[in-house]
């Protein structure tokens, strides 16, 4: 029994000694490597390829040429100044006006300085740097088709004001993608506005445009009424147009409430659109208020 204990004790001692030797050897190697690295000269390090790595400055990155920015009044009275700016001072800018005009040669010219326009104009431009061209930027600027004034009696929803009250009579129709911000929105109320033509006009056709997007709680008005007046106080009803689109229709669409009337002379036109009311139980927004989205009011 004693012999077995002696043998076991010797075995344990050998294991402990082996572990200690391994730790000492590891520490010695680390120390030796640290000292050898400190003592090696820079020239020697280069020979051993330690300094062959490239710095950040040695790498060349291809910079994308960004499209230029075209600035001017979206809606102007008589004229407006158009300015085109690049996003990099090393860019060269090329531009073209009225690309859709079939009678005009479609060529880009070098942009040198701001220029004036006095009619509705489309401007296109791109930037170029070291042969790398940017995408083409397109902007439309519109001369007012009239000098009417409009007084909106309803309260517009703050996030859906379009470009202000003149947006309803600027001759620019809103896109079916209403998130572009081209429509005025009125929630939980009728829409009502009075247009002042500044002088008596002969009216034969009346129109106002609305958007329908059931899923976004934007529904067409139940009906639209048109009134005329010479003094802005006493109005007579000219026409009523009822909506014929099912409010449950989930197709996003634009509808013109247009009507022809007997020739009528008037200085003022009142447009009143009746909102649908609260959302029905079948709608996911059950009980919520609906919107009227209106863009353009026009007459002939």
């Amino acid at each position: 029994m004693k012999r077995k204990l002696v043998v076991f004790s010797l075995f344990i001692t050998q294991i402990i000694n082996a572990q200690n030797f391994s730790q000492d050897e590891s520490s010695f190697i680390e120390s030796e490597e640290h000292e050898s690295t400190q003592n090696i000269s820079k020239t020697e390090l280069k020979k051993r390829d330690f300094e062959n790595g490239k710095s950040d400055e040695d790498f060349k990155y291809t910079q994308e040429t960004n499209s230029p920015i075209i600035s001017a009044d979206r809606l102007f009275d008589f004229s407006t100044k158009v300015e085109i700016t690049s996003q990099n001072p090393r860019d060269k800018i090329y531009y073209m006006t009225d690309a859709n005009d079939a009678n005009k040669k479609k060529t880009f010219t070098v942009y040198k300085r701001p220029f004036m326009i006095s009619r509705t104009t489309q401007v296109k431009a791109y930037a170029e740097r070291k042969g790398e061209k940017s995408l083409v930027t397109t902007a439309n600027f519109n001369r007012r088709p009239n000098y009417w004034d409009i007084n909106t009696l309803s309260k517009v929803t703050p996030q859906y004001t379009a470009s202000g009250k003149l947006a309803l009579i600027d001759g620019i129709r809103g896109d079916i993608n209403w998130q572009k911000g081209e429509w005025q929105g009125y929630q939980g109320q009728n829409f009502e506005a009075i247009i002042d033509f500044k002088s008596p006009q002969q009216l034969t056709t009346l129109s106002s445009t609305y958007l329908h997007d059931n899923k976004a709680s934007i529904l067409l008005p139940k009906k639209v009424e048109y009134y005329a007046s010479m003094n802005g106080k006493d109005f007579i009803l000219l026409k009523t147009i009822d909506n014929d689109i099912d409010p449950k229709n989930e197709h996003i669409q634009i509808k013109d409430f247009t009507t022809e009337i007997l020739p009528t002379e008037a200085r003022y036109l009142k447009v009143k659109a009746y909102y649908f009311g609260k959302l029905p139980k079948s709608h996911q927004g059950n009980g919520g208020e609906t919107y009227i989205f209106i863009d353009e009011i026009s007459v002939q």
Side-chain angles (χ1 to χ4, degrees), residues 262-280:
L262 293 175
T264 304
E265 190 173 82
R267 174 175 169 172
Y268 300 89
L269 175 73
K270 180 163 70 173
V271 180
K272 187 172 183 180
Y274 292 80
Y275 93 114
F276 177 82
K278 294 185 182 296
L279 291 166

Side-chain angles (χ1 to χ4, degrees), residues 24-220:
D24 292 341
E25 185 178 32
S26 175
S27 299
F28 173 76
I29 291 171
E30 288 177 2
S31 176
E32 186 178 42
E33 285 180 349
H34 179 67
E35 289 177 1
S36 63
T37 303
Q38 283 186 329
N39 294 330
I40 294 175
S41 67
K42 218 168 186 182
T43 304
E44 185 62 26
L45 283 171
K46 285 183 178 179
K47 288 181 181 179
R48 298 189 184 187
D49 214 24
F50 279 102
E51 292 194 351
N52 284 345
K54 293 183 179 180
S55 66
D56 290 343
E57 296 176 354
D58 294 328
F59 288 96
K60 293 183 179 179
Y61 301 95
T62 302
Q63 291 186 341
E64 181 181 352
T65 304
N66 294 318
S67 300
I69 299 170
I70 307 173
S71 304
D73 294 326
R74 180 175 179 266
L75 183 69
F76 58 92
D77 289 331
F78 300 103
S79 64
T80 187
K81 181 172 72 173
V82 180
E83 186 173 4
I84 309 175
T85 54
S86 66
Q87 300 186 52
N88 188 309
R90 293 175 294 176
D91 291 349
K92 195 170 186 178
I93 299 174
Y94 296 83
Y95 79 102
M96 173 172 58
T97 59
D98 293 327
N100 295 327
D101 188 348
N103 299 318
K104 191 171 183 179
K105 190 176 180 181
K106 302 177 179 62
T107 57
F108 283 92
T109 57
V110 177
Y111 172 79
K112 296 179 180 179
R113 64 185 66 87
F115 56 92
M116 302 296 294
I117 56 175
S118 57
R119 59 188 178 85
T120 296
T121 304
Q122 182 184 80
V123 181
K124 292 189 174 187
Y126 70 88
E128 184 176 0
R129 187 187 332 129
K130 295 181 179 180
E132 184 75 24
K133 294 181 181 180
S134 72
L135 296 176
V136 174
T137 300
T138 301
N140 295 288
F141 306 104
N142 298 269
R143 179 167 175 168
R144 286 186 63 181
N146 54 65
Y147 296 97
W148 307 340
D149 194 12
I150 182 169
N151 179 24
T152 305
L153 305 178
S154 306
K155 186 177 180 180
V156 67
T157 303
Q159 63 266 39
Y160 303 123
T161 60
S163 56
K165 68 175 186 177
L166 292 180
L168 299 179
I169 53 173
D170 61 5
I172 307 169
R173 291 176 63 89
D175 191 87
I176 196 164
N177 180 5
W178 55 267
Q179 294 180 345
K180 289 182 178 180
E182 297 173 344
W183 295 81
Q184 287 194 357
Y186 297 83
Q187 186 180 32
Q189 60 185 308
N190 297 331
F191 168 81
E192 189 170 355
I194 298 174
I195 297 174
D196 180 0
F197 300 124
K198 299 299 184 181
S199 62
Q201 304 285 319
Q202 187 85 348
L203 309 179
T204 57
T205 304
L206 312 172
S207 183
S208 54
T209 307
Y210 304 85
L211 182 129
H212 175 87
D213 185 351
N214 174 285
K215 293 183 179 179
S217 304
I218 304 169
L219 301 183
L220 294 171

Side-chain angles (χ1 to χ4, degrees), residues 229-294:
S229 172
M230 287 297 289
N231 59 16
K233 296 179 181 178
D234 304 310
F235 287 87
I236 59 170
L237 178 64
L238 297 176
K239 197 83 171 187
T240 299
I241 306 174
D242 293 319
N243 175 38
D244 57 2
I245 303 290
D246 187 344
K248 295 180 182 179
N249 189 317
E250 296 186 354
H251 177 62
I252 302 174
Q253 55 193 297
I254 294 172
K255 180 175 174 61
D256 296 323
F257 283 70
T258 303
T259 183
E260 293 185 354
I261 59 172
L262 293 175
T264 304
E265 190 173 82
R267 174 175 169 172
Y268 300 89
L269 175 73
K270 180 163 70 173
V271 180
K272 187 172 183 180
Y274 292 80
Y275 93 114
F276 177 82
K278 294 185 182 296
L279 291 166
K281 293 181 180 180
S282 58
H283 194 279
Q284 60 182 2
N286 175 23
E289 294 287 5
T290 58
Y291 286 92
I292 286 179
F293 265 40
I294 180 172

